[in-house]
Amino acid sequence: MANMVASWATYRRNAPRLKLRVRRRPHNIREAYLAEDKSRWCTSFHVHAINRSAADVQVEKVQMIGWMPSFWPVGVAMRYAFRRLLEMPVIAQFFDFTFLEGEDQKVIPAHGGVRWVLADLISRGPYPQRWYTALMAFQLRVTLTNGREIRSRPMPLRRVVAEHREVYKAGLAFVERSKGDVTLDDALKELEEERKGTA
């Protein structure tokens, strides 16, 4: 019995303990505004994967997946229908992304971390005005080579798109007003104040 307890304690101590911190903010927005590159006038996902265990962990894949509240009072059939809805091409396309930074960082060292910047299609593509967008939310899922999955907090689609529009609007305002005496620092400061006001 004592050996079993000791083995369990050792496993718990050495088992992978990964935490995800996900924030949305522009990526190199100063350069994007100056270059008037509208394709980059949006938010990106800045991910910090933190390994709190005493062993290195290997990442197999990083994904964005649809999310459904577990407290919804729906039956098994409704949950199945919702999962099928998320798999439809018109919906699944919103969860595609590309790495802007950190794609090659697949090993998270013990008591260390790695950072990724993801360019999602949710805030870069056309935003569909459909009834299901009010229900859509998603998570970032990291799958380790041992099969364990770690997920971020759910992120509502409407909020992500609203943040994208704020950044895009600030870019348009900067380009228009840069013909006068408005500086880029002024535009970035105004954007930050707007984001705080809507938080």
Side-chain angles (χ1 to χ4, degrees):
M1 184 66 179
N3 290 337
M4 291 179 60
V5 173
S7 298
W8 179 83
T10 301
Y11 169 78
R12 290 286 295 176
R13 182 171 59 252
N14 296 326
R17 290 179 294 168
L18 197 65
K19 182 176 181 179
L20 294 179
R21 293 179 180 173
V22 183
R23 292 180 173 82
R24 292 186 302 275
R25 61 176 182 268
H27 178 65
N28 294 335
I29 194 63
R30 179 183 295 271
E31 292 81 357
Y33 281 167
L34 289 173
E36 298 187 17
D37 184 358
K38 295 182 180 180
S39 66
R40 295 162 56 196
W41 293 0
C42 49
T43 57
S44 300
F45 288 83
H46 295 249
V47 184
H48 188 192
I50 305 170
N51 182 8
R52 294 182 173 178
S53 62
D56 296 352
V57 295
Q58 180 80 28
V59 175
E60 179 178 337
K61 56 185 175 181
V62 181
Q63 299 169 289
M64 285 187 183
I65 59 173
W67 176 81
M68 179 180 180
S70 59
F71 54 80
W72 274 11
V74 296
V76 175
M78 187 63 179
R79 290 185 181 277
Y80 175 78
F82 189 81
R83 286 196 297 268
R84 291 297 300 272
L85 177 67
L86 293 176
E87 294 172 358
M88 293 175 59
V90 68
I91 303 295
Q93 65 177 331
F94 293 116
F95 303 126
D96 290 336
F97 68 89
T98 57
F99 280 90
L100 296 177
E101 291 182 11
E103 182 176 8
D104 58 335
Q105 299 187 46
K106 297 296 186 180
V107 177
I108 308 178
H111 304 297
V114 298
R115 296 182 183 273
W116 304 309
V117 181
L118 312 179
D120 63 282
L121 297 185
I122 290 178
S123 61
R124 286 165 169 74
Y127 179 49
Q129 299 296 332
R130 300 287 190 272
W131 63 268
Y132 51 74
T133 56
L135 305 175
M136 285 179 63
F138 56 97
Q139 293 175 300
L140 187 72
R141 180 174 67 188
V142 175
T143 304
L144 305 180
T145 52
N146 63 4
R148 185 177 180 184
E149 296 180 352
I150 298 91
R151 305 189 183 196
S152 68
R153 293 181 179 180
M155 295 168 276
L157 172 59
R158 285 188 179 274
R159 182 173 180 180
V160 172
V161 173
E163 291 177 350
H164 157 63
R165 287 175 173 170
E166 289 176 9
V167 176
Y168 192 87
K169 180 180 177 181
L172 291 177
F174 166 69
V175 171
E176 180 65 25
R177 296 165 60 188
S178 61
K179 302 173 184 178
D181 297 328
V182 178
T183 66
L184 177 58
D185 289 333
D186 292 335
L188 293 176
K189 182 178 180 180
E190 183 176 328
L191 172 62
E192 184 63 25
E193 290 175 351
E194 289 183 3
R195 289 172 62 85
K196 290 181 179 178
T198 57

